Amino acid sequence: MMREKDLVRLATSSDVSALARLERLYFSDAWSEAGLRSGISGTGVRYFLYERDGDILGYCSAQTVMDEGELLRIVVDETVRGCGVGSRLLEALFAGLPQVRSWYLEVRESNRAAIALYKKYGFQPIGLRKNYYRNPQEHALLMRREKVG
C-alpha cells in the first residue's frame, strides 16, 4: 500500500549504494556501483527512485537522446510489489522527461507482471530480440510507447 509520505525523486550520488543493493538482489546482470555512479553523474541518463521512511525500495532509469527515450531499468523491492510503486516510478519518469515522444524498452518475454505494467502505460510490442538475456538465457520483447498530443 502506498503511503502519503512515500517519495519518488531523482537519485543522487549518495543513493548509489542503495541502488546497487537492489541491483544485486534482483538482476542476474547487476550494474556495479561505479557504473551507477557514472550514470547518475553523467548526462543523458536519469534515475528516479522510490523511498519510504528513508529506505530506497525501487528505482528506474532511462537514457534519452533528443525526443527518444529508452527505459533501461526498473526494479521494485518484493516487499512493496503490487502496491503501485512501478506505476509511480513510470509516472515520474514520463513527467520528468516531457520532451520524450517515443519510449522504448526490452523486457524478458516471461515477465508477465512487467509486460502488463508497460501495456497499462501504452507500450506495445514491436519486436523480439532473440536470446537477448543471459542467466538465464531468454528472448526480450521489444516495446514502444508513442506520446499522444
Side-chain angles (χ1 to χ4, degrees):
M1 178 173 168
M2 299 288 295
R3 299 186 312 207
E4 194 173 313
K5 291 185 179 181
D6 294 354
L7 177 66
V8 177
R9 63 173 173 82
L10 282 172
T12 67
S13 59
S14 64
D15 301 314
V16 167
S17 293
L19 301 183
R21 179 189 65 81
L22 289 170
E23 284 283 325
R24 289 188 301 272
L25 282 172
Y26 297 109
F27 291 112
S28 60
D29 61 343
W31 290 351
S32 68
E33 284 196 30
L36 289 163
R37 189 174 319 297
S38 175
I40 287 173
S41 64
T43 59
V45 180
R46 301 285 287 278
Y47 292 74
F48 293 85
L49 59 82
Y50 169 80
E51 186 175 1
R52 172 180 282 174
D53 299 327
D55 293 325
I56 296 171
L57 299 174
Y59 89 91
C60 69
S61 62
Q63 177 175 291
T64 61
V65 177
M66 300 190 55
D67 66 346
E68 290 189 348
E70 179 182 6
L71 179 64
L72 301 172
R73 288 280 213 227
I74 186 167
V75 60
V76 175
D77 189 271
E78 64 188 1
T79 61
V80 290
R81 285 191 186 154
C83 298
V85 174
S87 291
R88 291 261 317 261
L89 287 167
L90 286 178
E91 289 166 6
L93 180 71
F94 299 146
L97 296 166
Q99 77 280 10
V100 175
R101 303 208 47 82
S102 298
W103 283 98
Y104 297 88
L105 62 83
E106 291 99 5
V107 59
R108 283 186 181 271
E109 195 174 37
S110 65
N111 193 341
R112 303 228 182 271
I115 292 168
L117 174 66
Y118 300 142
K119 284 183 174 181
K120 174 182 168 185
Y121 283 91
F123 284 91
Q124 295 299 315
I126 60 168
L128 193 70
R129 297 192 193 277
K130 295 195 180 264
N131 303 317
Y132 182 80
Y133 291 105
R134 306 281 181 256
N135 301 322
Q137 187 169 337
E138 187 174 351
H139 301 327
L141 184 62
L142 178 61
M143 301 182 82
R144 178 179 65 212
R145 173 188 193 255
E146 293 293 330
K147 186 175 181 180
V148 179

